[in-house]
Amino acid sequence: MQSATRPLLPAASYSMARLFLLSALAALFPLSYAARGDPCAAIAGKTFVLPADALACLKSFPFNETLRQNVLTANIARVFDFFTFEDYYLASPPPFQESTADIRAELARINTTAYATDYDFNVDLYNFVTRLNDGHTRWFPNCYTSHQNLLPAPIVSLEVAGVQSVYITPDLVDLISLLGPDYTDLIAIDWQRLAGARVLAIEGQDPYAYVDFIAKTVSGNYLDHGVRVNSVFTSYRLSGAAYSQRFGDLAGPTGVAQTSLTFTLIAADSTEAETVTVPYIASFAGAPFTDRASYWANNCAANQGTNGRDLKAGAARLGGEAAPRVRRQPKASVVDKSNGSAVGLPSQFAPTLPTVGGDQGIMKSYVLPGSETGVMFIGSFEGDFAGFQKDTASAIRAFKAAGVTKLIIDLTNNNGAPFSLPPIAAFRPPQNRIRMSDSNCICIADIGGFVCLGQFLHRYLAGTIGYAGFQSTKRANALARKIVAADVALGLNSSFGFYPADNYAFLNGTAMPADFDYMTPDVPITVNGRRDANSQRFHDTCEASFQSAPDFGNGYSVYHALRNVAIVSNGNCASTCAMFSTLMVERHQTKVAVFGGKPSENVEFKGMAGNQVLEWVDLDSEVKTANLKDDPLAPADLLVSGNMRHNWRTAWSFLDESTPIAYLSELPNFRFPYTMDTYNNPQNLWLFVEQTLF
Ligand SMILES: *[C@@H]1O[C@H](CO)[C@@H](O)[C@H](O)[C@H]1NC(C)=O
Ligand SMILES: *[C@@H]1O[C@H](CO)[C@@H](O)[C@H](O)[C@H]1NC(C)=O
Ligand SMILES: *[C@@H]1O[C@H](CO)[C@@H](O)[C@H](O)[C@H]1NC(C)=O
Ligand SMILES: *[C@@H]1O[C@H](CO)[C@@H](O)[C@H](O)[C@H]1NC(C)=O
Ligand SMILES: *[C@@H]1O[C@H](CO)[C@@H](O)[C@H](O)[C@H]1NC(C)=O
């Protein structure tokens, strides 16, 4: 039985004796895998395998000190210098105390722990960074995060006859069948009869206590514990343009550490409690391979997309003329690796109402029967920057034409697809979705999206209220100051990176000139007793990138009050989504309802609200473009395929400009449990909201 304190993905630290034995064996018998059978060849070419078989492959790479020093000391420790919330972690304020860690002490511990395999080192590091619960700040070693365990028993908390309990998802048979026979043939139990079972215990614990344990150790991404509780459960979402059902972090965790989970439950067709052990099946969404060597080459070794590049180089090659013209849009998103397990929502639960307005990609709009209420389901602020703006305009026009007076904005699992793929109804073999050049394989989903699309939607709904963003800062560490100074000296502008000042505006709204050094003088701050330095404060410059439309700035608010707008979600609304909801609530007192969670435990309405995230490849490009790669403070190129992303900018609260909005507790004004009717049925949920909230 699993105790509450045992980490789910244990970083097995073997004894030194075992370590010596292993390395001695590896040195003596370099061909031993050929003799014993190659554990990676045994799983090659298969989308679904047993987790123990996948683990044998992943654990076949011995620990390598050169790689540890590259990843930990030369790369990740220096990336943390840019992480805006480092000092907040020493003592996170309530209600976020669970997300407390001494980051440098943890790095030192991992630096001196004896590991048997490269897997053990990376999983320990992965768990430490994941448990910071900041989806903007994650370590993804692609070698070990390309597998995803899928349990044929996703759970959900439902209210039935006035009582909330944990259930195996009632639509289990329809949902799991979408994975196809390659998956179901591997499940050695009669899983269909678990549909709708009421769960009495998981691994011998109260089911809600076990959900807390998963929220604490596996989920990551969100500072608030209550929001993470909701990501443990299965839930509906838009994945790309398609309705999808997320497995949740109990049934769909990254990695292959666990082989099964034991439930005590009462099956839907029974009144007797019984104990059932349900197997996990691992799904693979990495790059194809045939054996151990090609698994390493294709999934673990650095590739051409892993590290950044000097963005001046392209311009120079083309005769100095062809600097990139288009300014890149800042992003704020969290990565949900569980998109690998994005299965279509069983089709009978997708809305039956016709969509209204434009393209219906990542935003789907409806008018509810009676024509009083419009619905915008916004799956993401990511994707097609111009398309999103067009879709917003056409949806609002359609609402106006229909005479709609109330608006529901559904931000459940506000989720996105950085690459546009055709919508799919069911699981596709991941091999179809791989792009070799992309270190972040396509099995990820960004929750959140383009910073400016949140402001665009706000502007469309609320009209012009002046600056609709937040005050923002970066850390002014020694290397960051050198980058800004070098960009000024080199005459670089926002076409070359996110450090040049013309990405931003002064607090009075005037655009900063590209040669302005906003790090000099820096602004000292003290957080949890530690002194640090920030840049000067600045504004985003979203307005410059908005497409105009005839009714722009005269959006919904000119014909109806914003108190007739309700935002609904499961709290899994991060980054741009969180900034948008915060803006609506802080400025316009919009109603917010959060569904799900545990009975009598709070759920914040915003999951994770940084201001801008930089992927490792982006930070490295900033350094290389500023000609500073040789600086002793510069993080080294990764030798392995991985991504250490980090929250690079803070957004300060509009209500309290000394507090990052990430650390300002804001609860929804309405909380509802899911029911049998609403948990996987967005249209039923919207009808409930229309009845209840307006
Ligand atoms: C450790 O990794 C480095 C970098 O990839 C490699 O050059 C070296 O051969 C590896 N060491 C062993 C013992 O495999
Ligand atoms: C890890 O240990 C090495 C060697 O002892 C040291 O040079 C390095 O600075 C340490 N790195 C971290 C992040 O503590
Ligand atoms: C940046 O400068 C280049 C010339 O070096 C110019 O072509 C480009 O349009 C500028 N970008 C912006 C956003 O001003
Ligand atoms: C997530 O999966 C869905 C299909 O399940 C796909 O449409 C979407 O593009 C994926 N997103 C990413 C980022 O891979
Ligand atoms: C805005 O502030 C900047 C920096 O303080 C200043 O240089 C500029 O003149 C101001 N612009 C206006 C219109 O006040």
Side-chain angles (χ1 to χ4, degrees):
M1 196 181 300
Q2 188 149 18
S3 84
T5 48
R6 198 186 106 191
L8 191 69
L9 305 173
S13 344
Y14 287 53
S15 69
M16 284 309 282
R18 175 84 193 269
L19 187 63
F20 266 111
L21 188 63
L22 274 180
S23 34
L25 279 175
L28 284 173
F29 302 111
L31 298 176
S32 60
Y33 282 111
R36 269 190 283 145
D38 178 330
C40 299
I43 58 166
K46 297 178 185 160
T47 301
F48 298 112
V49 296
L50 296 177
D53 295 341
L55 191 61
C57 168
L58 302 187
K59 285 203 165 209
S60 71
F61 305 104
F63 174 74
N64 181 323
E65 185 66 38
T66 307
L67 294 183
R68 165 159 66 183
Q69 290 314 314
N70 170 253
V71 166
L72 193 73
T73 304
N75 188 276
I76 289 181
R78 293 180 197 167
V79 172
F80 268 117
D81 294 343
F82 292 82
F83 176 40
T84 55
F85 297 139
E86 176 171 354
D87 293 333
Y88 287 87
Y89 273 88
L90 294 167
S92 284
F96 309 113
Q97 309 91 311
E98 190 171 276
S99 306
T100 290
D102 183 338
I103 290 172
R104 301 293 162 174
E106 276 293 290
L107 293 177
R109 175 187 68 74
I110 295 169
N111 198 25
T112 51
T113 300
Y115 298 102
T117 68
D118 188 53
Y119 170 92
D120 295 315
F121 158 63
N122 273 288
V123 169
D124 196 10
L125 187 55
Y126 170 90
N127 282 339
F128 150 60
V129 184
T130 300
R131 290 171 194 166
L132 295 176
N133 301 322
D134 175 353
H136 291 171
T137 305
R138 299 287 308 265
W139 165 238
F140 291 113
N142 292 327
C143 194
Y144 307 114
T145 54
S146 297
H147 282 90
Q148 182 131 39
N149 255 347
L150 294 179
L151 189 79
I155 56 167
V156 62
S157 176
L158 299 177
E159 184 177 88
V160 175
V163 180
Q164 292 180 51
S165 317
V166 173
Y167 291 84
I168 308 281
T169 192
D171 69 350
L172 184 72
V173 175
D174 293 310
L175 178 72
I176 295 297
S177 300
L178 291 172
L179 288 165
D182 286 352
Y183 177 82
T184 52
D185 288 354
L186 288 172
I187 314 172
I189 62 162
D190 178 9
W191 57 272
Q192 288 94 337
R193 62 182 293 276
L194 302 178
R198 188 157 69 85
V199 177
L200 306 178
I202 306 176
E203 297 288 295
Q205 296 177 41
D206 173 83
Y208 285 112
Y210 197 79
V211 165
D212 277 333
F213 166 65
I214 299 295
K216 205 169 158 176
T217 55
V218 175
S219 293
N221 283 344
Y222 305 105
L223 273 182
D224 180 47
H225 180 86
V227 172
R228 276 179 276 124
V229 162
N230 254 350
S231 47
V232 175
F233 299 124
T234 184
S235 49
Y236 71 80
R237 66 174 170 191
L238 274 177
S239 187
Y243 277 94
S244 155
Q245 187 168 346
R246 188 176 182 273
F247 263 53
D249 298 333
L250 176 106
T254 297
V256 292
Q258 263 185 313
T259 54
S260 65
L261 210 55
T262 298
F263 292 87
T264 306
L265 48 77
I266 299 177
D269 62 3
S270 163
T271 51
E272 306 269 296
E274 59 186 298
T275 297
V276 184
T277 296
V278 184
Y280 279 98
I281 309 292
S283 72
F284 179 64
F289 60 94
T290 54
D291 56 10
R292 195 172 157 270
S294 57
Y295 184 80
W296 184 268
N298 300 350
N299 288 284
C300 312
N303 60 49
Q304 58 186 18
T306 304
N307 298 299
R309 61 200 172 89
D310 179 350
L311 298 174
K312 301 190 300 309
R317 252 203 323 279
L318 294 162
E321 287 291 302
R325 289 242 154 71
V326 189
R327 164 169 170 182
R328 291 187 302 161
Q329 288 295 329
K331 287 190 184 180
S333 61
V334 306
V335 174
D336 179 7
K337 276 275 182 184
S338 83
N339 199 48
S341 62
V343 187
L345 182 67
S347 56
Q348 65 271 35
F349 303 117
T352 53
L353 291 166
T355 56
V356 301
D359 218 18
Q360 310 301 332
I362 200 65
M363 178 193 301
K364 297 201 187 298
S365 302
Y366 304 88
V367 173
L368 296 184
S371 291
E372 282 188 15
T373 307
V375 175
M376 288 171 123
F377 186 13
I378 302 174
S380 167
F381 289 97
E382 180 91 42
D384 178 349
F385 192 74
F388 182 96
Q389 301 183 40
K390 275 204 334 255
D391 289 354
T392 304
S394 85
I396 300 277
R397 263 176 240 135
F399 293 152
K400 221 166 181 169
V404 153
T405 57
K406 299 161 190 157
L407 179 60
I408 296 170
I409 302 176
D410 191 340
L411 298 174
T412 301
N413 290 320
N414 183 298
N415 191 346
F419 316 102
S420 34
L421 285 180
I424 56 168
F427 193 85
R428 281 232 196 115
Q431 279 77 359
N432 295 349
R433 299 194 252 128
I434 298 306
R435 291 191 188 176
M436 293 298 295
S437 62
D438 210 307
S439 64
N440 280 311
C441 77
I442 203 154
C443 54
I444 60 170
D446 286 325
I447 296 186
F450 291 113
V451 170
C452 287
L453 289 182
Q455 289 187 35
F456 177 84
L457 181 62
H458 169 270
R459 166 83 187 264
Y460 227 100
L461 295 172
T464 315
I465 59 158
Y467 178 60
F470 299 90
Q471 292 191 4
S472 182
T473 52
K474 303 167 191 176
R475 267 180 113 174
N477 66 50
L479 184 57
R481 287 201 303 265
K482 286 185 196 176
I483 293 173
V484 174
D487 286 348
V488 170
L490 291 164
L492 299 181
N493 61 23
S494 57
S495 296
F496 294 92
F498 292 114
Y499 269 111
D502 63 323
N503 283 287
Y504 312 106
F506 295 106
L507 299 187
N508 62 12
T510 305
M512 285 180 176
D515 64 358
F516 181 72
D517 182 347
Y518 54 92
M519 295 273 180
T520 308
D522 59 32
V523 180
I525 58 164
T526 301
V527 178
N528 285 324
R530 289 266 174 101
R531 286 178 59 78
D532 197 19
N534 272 349
S535 70
Q536 295 161 25
R537 291 195 179 201
F538 51 84
H539 279 175
D540 277 300
T541 53
C542 291
E543 297 277 329
S545 56
F546 292 163
Q547 302 203 324
S548 60
D551 47 355
F552 193 65
N554 297 317
Y556 181 85
S557 63
V558 295
Y559 65 104
H560 290 297
L562 289 170
R563 72 183 131 77
N564 290 336
V565 177
I567 292 176
V568 302
S569 82
N570 61 347
N572 281 221
C573 158
S575 321
T576 303
C577 179
M579 289 192 284
F580 168 74
S581 337
T582 306
L583 191 58
M584 292 297 286
V585 171
E586 291 193 353
R587 298 286 185 100
H588 310 293
Q589 294 77 48
T590 299
K591 299 183 217 295
V592 191
V594 169
F595 284 76
K598 266 171 58 184
S600 65
E601 183 180 80
N602 284 337
V603 183
E604 301 276 320
F605 68 75
K606 57 178 157 52
M608 182 65 224
N611 197 155
Q612 184 178 354
V613 57
L614 285 194
E615 311 298 338
W616 156 244
V617 65
D618 295 328
L619 178 65
D620 194 34
S621 291
E622 298 282 343
V623 173
K624 287 174 176 162
T625 304
N627 295 343
L628 286 165
K629 191 66 179 179
D630 292 336
D631 191 281
L633 297 169
D637 277 10
L638 283 170
L639 299 175
V640 295
S641 170
N643 179 18
M644 181 67 217
R645 67 197 322 251
H646 73 288
N647 191 70
W648 178 68
R649 280 208 268 145
T650 298
W652 298 90
S653 169
F654 171 76
L655 298 177
D656 170 5
E657 284 177 349
S658 65
T659 301
I661 56 173
Y663 288 102
L664 192 82
S665 171
E666 289 181 278
L667 296 174
N669 21 32
F670 300 92
R671 262 295 290 289
F672 301 105
Y674 285 109
T675 65
M676 290 279 181
D677 285 338
T678 55
Y679 80 96
N680 63 346
N681 193 319
Q683 186 170 310
N684 282 354
L685 186 132
W686 304 329
L687 292 171
F688 170 85
V689 169
E690 182 186 38
Q691 295 259 301
T692 319
L693 252 61
F694 296 120

